[in-house]
């Protein structure tokens, strides 16, 4: 986003508008955090802003300020469509290709005649936005929203609600400030957000210390299902629909489980395969350490994408067949896997 684009956006936002804000399907802390931060910012400026999420999100994000006002496109379809119809600007946050909202909502967004503003940190953005702010080196879309407000010369507009939302997304997307994408700039921003009213201990507690008994038991099962392939520095986990049902699975319960596989000594590539009978897919999350790009791997084999060290994808064959397919692909990556990361 160059200076003149920033000036155009400033002009656009100088008078009240109907604005819709959209995160990706199955939104995570960064998607909801950035969406609600922009929501509070725009509302405070006098705009009629509405967050329309493609679908629901995990319970551990529902405490966030403004969460009650979020429309879900699949459940509140009529209201969502009329908000989109009436909007002149749509913010697309934490994703960069329209298919990431799911096919129903994608159709509606493809018919939108107004302007898209996209803020995102994933690789290879589609050219769909009039105003694109894309930077794959930044840890989170929430940090980018902070930079976006800097560009608008409006960091002072960050109140406690906005600070709380931005802090949450930065925290969740950096694995609590430990992934390599966490920089000294990230820490300076986080320090400022705390000064502006983000309560770091409470946010951490709300997100991470809210587990149900079932979700802990499910984690136990996932860990006992883990398979390690030592000679390829790889570990993977499976969870069948029957196992999810056994432990009263709720949305969000499997979040972060893949990181346990990556935490194993000697493992640099981790995968989790989660069966979803409703959608008739296997949802795949991939994580890596070092140079091995799970974004490329997900794009090449599992209709997905993401970042170099964290990506996702899907498969439309059975859970067992998906794992067999994965195991048959792996050996062709042997030298990359063995040379990805120096410990
Ligand atoms: P997760 O494994 O936590 O679902 O996602 C990890 C990263 O990959 C996130 O940044 C997410 O946005 C991205 N991602 C997850 N699933 C997909 C997918 O199916 N397609 C694409 N392009 N990105 C994905
Ligand atoms: Mn993100």
């Amino acid at each position: 986003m160059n200076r003149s684009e920033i000036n155009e956006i400033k002009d656009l936002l100088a008078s009240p508008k109907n604005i819709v804000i959209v995160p990706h399907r199955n939104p995570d802390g960064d998607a909801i955090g950035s969406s609600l931060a922009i929501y509070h910012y725009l509302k405070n400026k006098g705009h009629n802003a509405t967050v329309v999420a493609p679908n629901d999100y995990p319970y551990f994000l529902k405490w966030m300020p403004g969460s009650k006002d979020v429309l879900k496109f699949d459940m509140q379809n009529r209201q969502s469509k009329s908000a989109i119809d009436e909007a002149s600007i749509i913010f697309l946050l934490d994703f960069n290709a329209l298919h990431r909202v799911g096919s129903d909502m994608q159709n509606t967004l493809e018919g939108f005649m107004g302007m898209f503003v996209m803020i995102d940190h994933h690789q290879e953005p589609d050219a769909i936005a009039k105003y694109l702010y894309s930077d794959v080196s930044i840890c989170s879309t929430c940090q980018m929203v902070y930079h976006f407000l800097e560009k608008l010369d409006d960091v002072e507009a960050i109140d406690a609600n906005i600070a709380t939302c931005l802090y949450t997304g930065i925290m969740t997307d950096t694995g609590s400030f430990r992934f390599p994408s966490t920089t000294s700039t990230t820490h300076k921003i986080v320090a400022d957000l705390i000064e502006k009213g983000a309560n770091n201990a409470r946010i951490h507690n709300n997100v991470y210390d809210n587990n149900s008994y079932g979700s802990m038991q499910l984690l136990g099962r996932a860990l006992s299902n883990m398979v390690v392939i030592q000679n390829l520095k790889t570990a993977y986990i499976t969870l069948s629909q029957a196992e999810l049902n056994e432990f009263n699975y709720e949305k969000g319960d499997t979040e972060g489980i893949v990181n346990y596989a990556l935490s194993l000594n000697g493992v640099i590539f981790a995968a989790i395969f989660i069966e979803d009978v409703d959608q008739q897919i296997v949802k795949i999350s991939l994580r890596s350490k070092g140079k091995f790009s799970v974004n490329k791997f997900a794009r090449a084999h599992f209709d997905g994408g993401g970042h170099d060290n964290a990506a996702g994808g899907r498969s439309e064959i059975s859970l067992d067949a998906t794992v067999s397919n994965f195991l048959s692909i792996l050996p062709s990556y042997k030298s990359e896997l063995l040379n990805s990361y120096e410990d």
Side-chain angles (χ1 to χ4, degrees):
M1 231 171 235
N2 59 35
R3 231 328 96 204
S4 72
E5 288 177 314
I6 287 293
N7 287 334
E8 285 172 36
I9 293 175
K10 276 188 184 174
D11 286 347
L12 280 169
L13 297 182
S15 58
K17 299 261 181 328
N18 291 334
I19 303 178
V20 162
I21 302 149
V22 178
H24 55 78
R25 189 177 158 79
N26 296 322
D28 58 7
D30 190 33
I32 289 294
S34 54
S35 296
L36 286 174
I38 291 281
Y39 168 73
H40 289 295
Y41 174 75
L42 293 174
K43 269 183 65 122
N44 292 348
K45 295 275 161 196
H47 298 284
N48 175 27
T50 313
V51 178
V52 180
N55 62 345
D56 203 5
Y57 50 91
Y59 55 86
F60 57 77
L61 299 173
K62 298 241 160 120
W63 58 272
M64 291 175 73
S67 173
K68 284 191 308 303
D69 304 333
V70 174
L71 294 179
K72 282 118 208 168
F73 188 87
D74 59 351
M75 305 297 289
Q76 290 147 295
N77 197 256
R78 199 180 42 77
Q79 265 176 288
S80 301
K81 280 184 169 158
S82 79
I84 292 169
D85 266 357
E86 284 159 24
S88 55
I89 302 173
I90 296 184
F91 280 79
L92 306 173
L93 296 177
D94 200 36
F95 69 103
N96 62 24
L98 278 187
H99 68 84
R100 294 277 289 129
V101 299
S103 56
D104 254 13
M105 187 164 176
Q106 180 180 353
N107 285 338
T108 301
L109 290 181
E110 277 170 354
F112 174 66
M113 304 300 287
M115 253 170 295
F116 286 122
V117 180
M118 177 184 280
I119 304 178
D120 177 67
H121 66 139
H122 295 90
Q123 293 179 350
E124 304 178 43
D126 281 356
I128 47 176
K130 176 155 169 63
Y131 298 106
L132 170 66
Y133 176 25
S134 163
D135 190 334
V136 299
S137 73
I138 298 182
C139 65
S140 56
T141 300
C142 279
Q143 179 170 327
M144 294 179 73
V145 168
Y146 184 97
H147 293 311
F148 178 66
L149 298 180
E150 279 180 331
K151 290 174 199 287
L152 295 179
D153 299 314
D154 219 1
V155 169
E156 289 319 306
I158 298 179
D159 63 9
N161 282 339
I162 298 173
T164 299
C165 295
L166 293 181
Y167 185 101
T168 304
I170 296 174
M171 179 187 80
T172 55
D173 254 31
T174 57
S176 298
F177 318 107
R178 71 194 182 99
F179 296 152
S181 55
T182 313
T183 61
S184 58
T185 304
T186 308
H187 280 284
K188 283 174 193 151
I189 289 172
V190 157
D192 189 39
L193 295 176
I194 292 173
E195 277 176 16
K196 290 182 159 56
N199 184 331
N200 52 318
R202 184 174 290 273
I203 293 171
H204 198 279
N205 180 71
N206 288 348
V207 173
Y208 295 117
D209 298 338
N210 240 326
N211 298 309
S212 65
Y213 181 73
S215 75
M216 298 302 279
Q217 299 293 106
L218 181 67
L219 171 62
R221 175 64 61 84
L223 296 180
S224 56
N225 287 350
M226 185 156 62
V227 176
V228 183
I229 308 161
Q230 210 79 53
N231 68 331
L232 295 173
K233 299 193 170 196
T234 297
Y236 69 91
I237 291 172
T238 55
L239 283 173
S240 67
Q241 183 72 60
E243 289 173 312
L244 299 177
N245 297 347
E246 185 181 339
F247 298 109
N248 302 320
Y249 167 79
E250 280 182 63
K251 204 175 190 65
D253 284 352
T254 55
E255 203 107 339
I257 293 183
V258 65
N259 295 315
Y260 286 92
L262 194 66
S263 76
L264 275 171
N265 190 347
V267 165
I268 66 98
F269 180 32
I272 187 167
F273 301 93
I274 303 170
E275 188 179 26
D276 183 334
V277 167
D278 264 7
Q279 286 197 70
Q280 299 188 323
I281 61 164
V282 175
K283 175 76 185 103
I284 303 163
S285 286
L286 303 170
R287 300 290 185 269
S288 67
K289 284 187 192 168
K291 298 194 291 278
F292 183 69
S293 171
V294 288
N295 168 54
K296 287 198 188 121
F297 189 90
R299 278 175 194 272
H301 305 292
F302 293 108
D303 193 21
H307 310 282
D308 282 338
N309 295 129
R314 52 160 59 206
S315 147
E316 288 173 0
I317 52 179
S318 72
L319 181 59
D320 285 349
T322 302
V323 171
S324 299
N325 182 26
F326 174 73
L327 294 176
S328 71
I329 294 163
L330 265 190
S332 62
Y333 287 90
K334 183 164 187 173
S335 71
E336 279 188 57
L337 289 165
L338 298 187
N339 297 314
S340 174
Y341 186 75
E342 301 278 329
D343 0 49

